[in-house]
Amino acid sequence: MILKNERSRKKNSFAEPVKGEAYIQLVWRKFKRSKTAIIGAILVIIMAILAIFAPFFSPYNPLKIDHRASFSPPQRIHFFDDKGKFHLRPFVYNLKLELDPQTWKRIYTEDTSKRFPIYFLVRGWEYKPFGIPCKLHLFGVAKGGSIHLFGMDNYGRDLWARIMLGGRVSLSIALLGAILSAFIGSMVGTISAYYGGITDMILQRIVEFLQSFPQLPLWMALSIAIPATWSSLYVFIAIMMLFGLLSWTPLAREVRGKVLSLREQEFVLSAKEAGASDARIIFKYLIPNCLSHIIVVLTITIPWLILAESTLSFLGLGLQPPMVSWGVLLQEAQNLQTMGRHLWIAIPGAFIVITVLGFNFLGDGLRDAADPYSRR
Amino acid sequence: MISYIIRRILYVIPLLLAVSIVCFVIIQLPPGDFLTAIESQLKSQAGLSEEESRKMVDEMRKTYGLDKSMPVQYLIWIKNIVTKGDFGYSFGYRKPAQEVIWERLKWTMIIALSAHLISTLVGLLIGIYSATHQYSLGDHLSTFLAFIGLSFPEFFTALVIMYLLVFRFRVPHVGGLSSPEYVLATWNWAKFVDFLQHFWIPVVISGVAGVARNMRVMRANLLDVFRSQYVITARAKGLKERIVLYKHAVVNALHPIIAYQGVALPYIVQGTMVTAIVLNLPTTGPAFYDALVFQDTLLAGSFLLMVTVVLVIGNLLSDLILAWIDPRIRYD
Amino acid sequence: MDKQNEILLEVKNLKKYFPITRGVFRRVVGYVKAVDRVDLFIRQGETLGLVGESGCGKTTLGRSILRLIEPTDGEVWFKTGKGKKLDITKLEDREIKSLRREMRMIFQDPYASLNPRMTVMDIVGEPLIIHKVAQGKEIEDRVRTLLKIVGLNPRYMRRYPHEFSGGQRQRIGIARALALNPRLVIADEPVSALDVSVQAQVINLLENLQVQFNLTYLFIAHDLSVVYHISNRIAVMYVGKIMEVGQAEEVYQGPRHPYTEALMSAVPVIDPDVKPERILLQGDVPNPANSPSGCTFHPRCRYAKKICSQEEPPLEDIGDEHYVACHFADDFSLKGIRQF
């Protein structure tokens, strides 16, 4: 029979591995193919960099109040001066405040008498990354000039700087909330499916219970319960916890389904057979094999929490001034008349849309790429 | 199957009980209550002394049973709801909470259902177009617009549309459901026209996200169905493309969307909430918001409870519908 | 194999029943009897081949022995390296863990049995880490040796399983099973997912390893030719029960149970002079939730008589450690296979 003949093979002829691409390479290849996914990733990275290095990108202190400059409009960047002469280095004009003699309205006009060229990597207000005093900023103009690209808010604070700072808060609250949610969701889903039986029963009832509540009204009711006397940091943490503790159920269901199928696979059995502890099986066998799901859900949760945060804050139920987030900044636009006269106060909304769009693109691309063996 | 249905229904009862407790507790979480505000009002505006005002408020507390412990208050509340349909007293509106809710629920439902219907219909049509013209300019454009639509916070959509109407198109009055001069008028043609001019705004705003979602779901479903063997078979046997599309593909692609209708209701109700708050409509959303802010406890609690109950029952129905229509699921 | 060799593993009356629930309160209305009153023993150093159709409970039996699933009832006696006899079904979790070093398993599906997120080195070294028998550099050295033993180039130990072919993956699985120097290895259809040409290589490897490390195998398979080649004794299983056990040659050449005969007739014989005479079994394999009365095999047995549907035949020694569960074990002269 065949079996006997095979024995004549040399014993030391080692088997060589066949060439195959690692999962991560396949994912990357598929991800790269999607233009929207790449655009999404770029948008997200830009927003993340702006948020992380917010003070560096802000020529002005976002908290500094200047009542005289209340609602002063955005300054335009020029390349041509009033005589039509081209300057390679872009510049701005200062704004002159005038009162309309008839209506007593405040009118801002450009003071074209003096150009203020924009310089890069200049020294300005002091901020302290990791406690080290630093005055370096990406751009700025010479003394006597000003550069408020997005104008000023009600209190005469630089809106550009406030948007950078607000992005930091909005993004970090959504990111931390989503991470907390991903952690709880994947733990509950894994434990529920792995142990099964009564544990599964109880955890699934909890999931169903939480999913019984309408999200928005529940969040509104809970966030109003956060005492007004709490400090900004506590409010931030409370809202973040709220997001994390209430948004994990879809992931828990998804992970549970995935682990239920993994649990039947022989490699999980092989770990049990080798005597691995439950914790080892969960963290080395089950979670790593769900990781792509978890990451995809995480990228989908972040934009959804950004929207939630901005909605709650806009309604005055979430973060409160003096804390700055995109939603808080938009509180000023609550009054339609204010927004009509000073349209630039709606700019934070554009940042929300762009960021959420970026995450949605990214999440969509990741979801398709995470399953590189599917046809789509 | 029968036992699955019975089990599922039996399970809803403890769930509703637990949900009602949590609704009640959440609403009681903020310190103080509506009467605390009244107390300070009595002091500052009515010029009563501290003692007098406290005495008055304490009496009011007694009348409304607010002096009792929280579990007792809950039991009274839930007992009245179950036996008499009485959701308690709203201090803010000075009438029973259920009256406030019923009054406003009418408009909520009209706006929400219109938004839902229109967004479903439009979403499906665009989805079908997109899937049948995959990778065409129209497909790319509608897919992109759907992404944009999903990226707008609802309140921001409302702000932008209001801004455009008021400051670009010079519409004299947005917000609410009628212009001030018609508020007290009886229904006539002019009032109806005025109503329509207001009505479409919240419908469009709260429908944007729905259109985007439905379009994406329909497109994905239809593309999946196109790849299935029965559609290939239908084409192979020479059926007209139109018949393949409408008799085979679309019908099957609609299944998930139909199954979704069971849970759609509560989402519709909460979906119009933010729009309603921004536009100040006479619906439940702003009432709930005000009740939260002014600690009109029982009104807020009742509203939260009602939406939750609708959601639980919607979930139940959609599970049962799914069990009914999908022969592949076994429930032993 | 010498009969004097001591018994390493003895299974007594082992049962694994899965409950079936119905109704609103999930009442238990019956059981799937995946493993039903199984008696077996394995001698030190021998290979017991366990054959049967798919779904007859072979895998469940193998896993119940190792308590990868909890048996419903019965005893599994194992003689440890220190000479102690232990009933595995009664052990605490902690005691089982130390026993897992002596009893290892090779899995059926080489694609599903290796964690796709771990490198070969991590997979093979995993038992060493779990049982804390080696650490750091030691693990790497040990893995290197193990890979060489199973015929894999240790150079590729940092790679992931999907980069290997089915046969190579099964070698990785074998290396993992050998990592702790086990005494008993339960091989659950280790070659049935492989190409025929690769099957032979892996079988040969297993045979060599048995000699080299003095291993005892419980070799589960549905393919008789594979089992014949490697087994000293054969056990035939049908719907959760053992039908016949005996020396491999005896069972193959002179089966005493009609089911064994039917199985044998399905083996292709490469001999132009032998006229194949296949016994086609009528009907389907019975549902283990509702197995027939009397002898489980009687509805499909071509020799069945009245008694077969009424009384269940016990598994009896008909001499020379040849056990058969048939009322007429001594009466028929059944056809076996003379030569492979």
Side-chain angles (χ1 to χ4, degrees):
Chain A
M1 233 194 101
I2 333 165
L3 296 179
K4 301 278 178 200
N5 302 339
E6 286 292 328
R7 222 170 242 188
S8 56
R9 273 176 157 245
K10 257 197 280 168
K11 216 186 147 204
N12 264 3
S13 68
F14 287 131
E16 305 281 318
V18 285
K19 276 216 165 148
E21 272 180 302
Y23 173 76
I24 198 82
Q25 286 169 313
L26 284 171
V27 170
W28 172 236
R29 214 147 57 103
K30 185 142 186 194
F31 183 80
K32 259 193 323 196
R33 269 213 308 253
S34 161
K35 266 184 226 120
T36 48
I38 295 291
I39 294 172
I42 291 171
L43 287 179
V44 166
I45 290 169
I46 291 176
M47 287 299 171
I49 290 174
L50 288 182
I52 293 168
F53 303 104
F56 172 69
F57 291 106
S58 315
Y60 297 100
N61 185 338
L63 304 177
K64 203 174 146 247
I65 291 172
D66 179 3
H67 285 292
R68 284 166 307 162
S70 171
F71 288 130
S72 100
Q75 286 166 273
R76 282 170 53 200
I77 298 172
H78 295 273
F79 282 96
F80 295 92
D81 61 24
D82 54 337
K83 294 174 196 81
K85 198 176 152 224
F86 173 76
H87 299 269
L88 188 61
R89 184 175 282 281
F91 61 92
V92 291
Y93 290 123
N94 271 357
L95 294 177
K96 262 195 313 213
L97 176 63
E98 283 162 2
L99 286 181
D100 188 311
Q102 265 110 52
T103 60
W104 290 86
K105 256 187 176 169
R106 281 141 71 103
I107 297 171
Y108 286 92
T109 47
E110 287 192 325
D111 175 8
T112 51
S113 60
K114 191 168 184 336
R115 289 188 297 109
F116 288 97
I118 298 169
Y119 293 100
F120 292 93
L121 298 177
V122 295
R123 309 200 146 259
W125 62 286
E126 187 181 285
Y127 58 100
K128 288 181 175 163
F130 307 111
I132 311 152
C134 181
K135 287 185 172 178
L136 195 67
H137 297 274
L138 179 68
F139 62 94
V141 291
K143 261 214 165 88
S146 66
I147 177 162
H148 301 294
L149 294 177
F150 288 165
M152 301 290 227
D153 72 356
N154 189 12
Y155 294 96
R157 292 172 293 202
D158 182 46
L159 195 58
W160 170 281
R162 290 177 72 71
I163 287 176
M164 299 293 129
L165 184 65
R168 201 180 238 195
V169 174
S170 287
L171 286 178
S172 55
I173 205 169
L175 180 69
L176 293 175
I179 289 175
L180 181 62
S181 143
F183 177 75
I184 301 174
S186 45
M187 283 320 289
V188 170
T190 312
I191 288 171
S192 188
Y194 179 66
Y195 288 104
I198 190 86
T199 317
D200 184 37
M201 237 275 289
I202 292 170
L203 288 175
Q204 284 315 299
R205 291 298 91 88
I206 293 174
V207 168
E208 275 170 36
F209 177 69
L210 283 175
Q211 285 190 335
S212 301
F213 289 98
Q215 214 124 20
L216 187 66
L218 180 68
W219 289 9
M220 285 169 72
L222 281 172
S223 55
I224 205 155
I226 298 171
T229 49
W230 281 14
S231 72
S232 298
L233 181 67
Y234 282 157
V235 174
F236 178 92
I237 292 173
I239 302 260
M240 187 271 281
M241 298 284 279
L242 209 71
F243 285 167
L245 294 176
L246 292 177
S247 64
W248 52 268
T249 48
L251 178 66
R253 290 210 146 174
E254 203 163 319
V255 168
R256 177 173 175 270
K258 179 89 179 143
V259 171
L260 276 181
S261 71
L262 284 176
R263 197 179 64 161
E264 299 305 316
Q265 294 218 9
E266 286 183 340
F267 74 84
V268 176
L269 204 65
S270 81
K272 203 177 161 197
E273 181 261 346
S277 63
D278 288 344
R280 193 176 181 89
I281 291 175
I282 287 173
F283 288 108
K284 280 204 86 168
Y285 290 77
L286 298 176
I287 300 242
N289 280 286
C290 296
L291 208 56
S292 58
H293 277 253
I294 296 170
I295 289 172
V296 168
V297 174
L298 187 75
T299 40
I300 296 170
T301 310
I302 293 173
W304 147 234
L305 291 183
I306 293 176
L307 290 180
E309 183 276 323
S310 66
T311 304
L312 286 180
S313 300
F314 172 77
L315 293 176
L317 302 175
L319 299 173
Q320 307 288 348
M323 195 113 200
V324 184
S325 83
W326 288 338
V328 171
L329 289 176
L330 282 172
Q331 280 181 8
E332 286 203 346
Q334 266 173 357
N335 185 329
L336 197 61
Q337 292 306 319
T338 318
M339 183 173 150
R341 274 196 295 269
H342 320 290
L343 188 57
W344 58 91
I345 57 174
I347 294 175
F351 274 79
I352 296 175
V353 174
I354 293 170
T355 312
V356 172
L357 187 69
F359 272 108
N360 282 344
F361 276 160
L362 179 65
D364 215 51
L366 278 180
R367 186 170 39 196
D368 284 349
D371 187 8
Y373 308 105
S374 75
R375 282 171 300 176
R376 246 185 306 168
Chain B
M1 178 73 185
I2 299 283
S3 79
Y4 169 77
I5 293 173
I6 295 172
R7 206 166 51 228
R8 195 69 186 69
I9 291 173
L10 281 183
Y11 167 63
V12 161
I13 295 165
L15 183 67
L16 285 178
L17 210 68
V19 157
S20 70
I21 294 175
V22 170
C23 283
F24 190 78
V25 170
I26 288 174
I27 295 302
Q28 304 279 359
L29 279 180
D33 56 25
F34 194 78
L35 293 177
T36 328
I38 290 198
E39 189 179 336
S40 58
Q41 224 175 46
L42 284 174
K43 263 184 290 185
S44 59
Q45 288 172 16
L48 297 183
S49 73
E50 196 158 317
E51 216 167 292
E52 283 169 322
S53 55
R54 181 172 310 140
K55 222 176 117 196
M56 262 185 86
V57 166
D58 278 348
E59 250 165 53
M60 283 170 83
R61 284 221 166 89
K62 215 171 229 165
T63 332
Y64 295 109
L66 294 179
D67 55 336
K68 300 198 173 71
S69 69
M70 205 144 92
V72 176
Q73 283 189 48
Y74 166 76
L75 285 177
I76 294 171
W77 185 59
I78 201 76
K79 195 190 103 205
N80 286 338
I81 291 176
V82 175
T83 55
K84 293 187 268 182
D86 174 11
F87 283 76
Y89 187 77
S90 158
F91 289 104
Y93 292 84
R94 301 193 187 284
K95 49 182 160 183
Q98 68 269 21
E99 273 180 34
V100 180
I101 294 176
W102 287 131
E103 237 166 61
R104 290 171 163 257
L105 205 58
K106 182 180 68 183
W107 287 119
T108 313
M109 293 315 285
I110 292 175
I111 294 172
L113 285 177
S114 315
H116 180 63
L117 279 179
I118 292 172
S119 67
T120 308
L121 205 67
V122 174
L124 292 187
L125 289 179
I126 302 179
I128 293 173
Y129 172 84
S130 247
T132 48
H133 299 75
Q134 202 187 2
Y135 303 132
S136 71
L137 183 67
D139 176 33
H140 281 305
L141 193 70
S142 45
T143 305
F144 182 72
L145 286 179
F147 264 113
I148 301 262
L150 287 175
S151 304
F152 263 78
E154 204 182 311
F155 73 89
F156 194 60
T157 318
L159 285 180
V160 170
I161 289 184
M162 274 166 74
Y163 172 82
L164 290 178
L165 287 175
V166 173
F167 293 97
R168 289 281 172 270
F169 300 107
R170 299 289 162 195
V171 174
H173 188 262
V174 295
L177 281 179
S178 58
S179 303
E181 61 267 32
Y182 289 106
V183 169
L184 294 172
T186 47
W187 282 98
N188 57 22
W189 183 248
K191 179 166 176 168
F192 183 67
V193 170
D194 177 66
F195 165 72
L196 281 188
Q197 279 169 355
H198 286 84
F199 178 68
W200 70 271
I201 302 169
V203 170
V204 166
I205 294 169
S206 45
V208 167
V211 172
R213 222 183 338 261
N214 282 313
M215 178 255 150
R216 277 169 58 77
V217 171
M218 189 64 196
R219 179 179 183 273
N221 287 349
L222 205 51
L223 286 178
D224 269 351
V225 173
F226 278 154
R227 274 191 289 263
S228 66
Q229 306 220 325
Y230 57 85
V231 167
I232 295 172
T233 312
R235 284 198 175 128
K237 73 184 181 194
L239 284 185
K240 284 206 185 81
E241 189 57 30
R242 181 173 292 271
I243 295 176
V244 172
L245 180 62
Y246 291 104
K247 279 196 85 169
H248 294 259
V250 171
V251 172
N252 282 293
L254 276 176
H255 272 177
I257 292 175
I258 293 171
Y260 166 76
Q261 301 305 315
V263 283
L265 193 63
Y267 289 108
I268 306 166
V269 174
Q270 59 170 315
T272 53
M273 221 164 130
V274 177
T275 313
I277 295 170
V278 175
L279 292 176
N280 196 20
L281 303 179
T283 60
T284 44
F288 175 62
Y289 175 74
D290 289 345
L292 279 180
V293 173
F294 299 114
Q295 299 201 332
D296 193 349
T297 319
L298 289 184
L299 179 60
S302 303
F303 179 78
L304 189 59
L305 180 64
M306 271 173 132
V307 183
T308 310
V309 169
V310 173
L311 182 59
V312 169
I313 292 172
N315 272 331
L316 174 70
L317 286 180
S318 93
D319 271 11
L320 295 184
I321 291 171
L322 218 62
W324 191 268
I325 63 169
D326 197 338
R328 287 169 301 184
I329 306 175
R330 285 185 56 209
Y331 295 95
D332 285 332
Chain C
M1 186 57 48
D2 283 334
K3 286 195 188 134
Q4 282 73 44
N5 268 19
E6 56 184 344
I7 288 172
L8 180 66
L9 182 87
E10 188 165 14
V11 177
K12 282 183 185 164
N13 202 27
L14 195 69
K15 293 179 196 168
K16 176 66 199 178
Y17 294 175
F18 296 99
I20 310 166
T21 58
R22 280 266 156 72
V24 180
F25 302 105
R26 301 187 179 279
R27 213 156 21 91
V28 175
V29 293
Y31 293 98
V32 173
K33 298 179 176 176
V35 173
D36 196 11
R37 283 167 288 160
V38 163
D39 293 301
L40 271 183
F41 62 86
I42 305 174
R43 287 208 167 80
Q44 173 78 49
E46 76 168 350
T47 299
L48 175 68
L50 181 63
V51 243
E53 289 166 276
S54 331
C56 73
K58 305 170 300 230
T59 299
T60 311
L61 174 59
R63 290 178 183 178
S64 300
I65 290 173
L66 289 181
R67 265 186 74 181
L68 287 177
I69 43 184
E70 287 299 319
T72 312
D73 192 20
E75 296 165 20
V76 178
W77 291 93
F78 181 75
K79 193 160 187 192
T80 64
K82 289 175 188 142
K84 246 179 35 193
K85 265 188 114 176
L86 294 173
D87 180 3
I88 299 172
T89 59
K90 307 282 186 300
L91 294 180
E92 302 278 321
D93 283 355
R94 193 170 30 84
E95 294 169 301
I96 290 183
K97 190 178 167 184
S98 66
L99 212 63
R100 297 218 182 280
R101 294 173 62 166
E102 300 191 46
M103 309 166 56
R104 298 307 309 277
M105 190 156 198
I106 298 170
F107 291 89
Q108 177 175 3
D109 184 350
Y111 291 89
S113 62
L114 306 177
N115 185 351
R117 298 281 181 273
M118 282 163 81
T119 61
V120 173
M121 148 118 183
D122 291 333
I123 291 169
V124 178
E126 185 79 346
L128 302 171
I129 298 168
I130 291 170
H131 292 274
K132 301 189 178 72
V133 291
Q135 39 183 281
K137 190 82 175 69
E138 274 176 284
I139 297 174
E140 203 179 314
D141 292 341
R142 180 89 180 102
V143 171
R144 205 179 293 275
T145 325
L146 282 164
L147 289 179
K148 274 188 206 151
I149 289 171
V150 297
L152 285 172
N153 193 334
R155 223 175 55 199
Y156 302 114
M157 62 199 262
R158 304 272 175 213
R159 299 210 175 179
Y160 287 89
H162 72 264
E163 297 176 65
F164 294 86
S165 69
Q168 291 165 346
R169 284 160 152 253
Q170 202 54 296
R171 285 169 196 261
I172 297 170
I174 294 169
R176 169 176 62 188
L178 292 181
L180 295 167
N181 295 321
R183 294 166 64 234
L184 174 69
V185 173
I186 296 182
D188 183 6
E189 304 206 29
V191 296
S192 58
L194 303 177
D195 292 346
V196 179
S197 59
V198 184
Q199 282 188 358
Q201 294 172 19
V202 173
I203 295 274
N204 291 334
L205 174 67
L206 285 172
E207 282 191 311
N208 291 338
L209 294 173
Q210 181 167 38
V211 178
Q212 208 174 338
F213 298 103
N214 191 23
L215 298 172
T216 306
Y217 286 144
L218 172 61
F219 195 100
I220 302 172
H222 63 256
D223 185 340
L224 281 170
S225 46
V226 168
V227 185
Y228 174 71
H229 195 76
I230 193 168
S231 307
N232 304 102
R233 290 192 307 127
I234 302 269
V236 179
M237 203 170 168
Y238 182 73
V239 198
K241 293 193 175 96
I242 299 290
M243 293 285 137
E244 184 168 2
V245 191
Q247 294 297 321
E249 289 79 15
E250 264 187 58
V251 173
Y252 272 79
Q253 288 164 15
R256 305 298 278 272
H257 195 286
Y259 178 62
T260 317
E261 184 194 30
L263 278 184
M264 295 302 161
S265 76
V267 175
V269 178
I270 319 167
D271 186 343
D273 300 331
V274 177
K275 226 174 146 193
E277 193 186 320
R278 280 196 75 168
I279 301 168
L280 284 176
L281 289 176
Q282 301 298 315
D284 289 324
V285 180
N287 180 357
N290 183 21
S291 52
S293 61
C295 173
T296 334
F297 186 58
H298 86 261
R300 306 172 76 190
C301 180
R302 55 179 185 166
Y303 309 105
K305 300 215 166 81
K306 201 174 167 202
I307 186 176
C308 297
S309 63
Q310 289 161 346
E311 243 174 82
E312 191 186 339
L315 187 66
E316 270 175 332
D317 193 350
I318 56 164
D320 207 17
E321 288 195 348
H322 191 155
Y323 298 83
V324 184
C326 179
H327 291 298
F328 307 102
D330 298 323
D331 303 352
F332 306 133
S333 127
L334 304 175
K335 271 209 187 77
I337 302 166
R338 224 136 289 288
Q339 180 208 0
F340 258 109

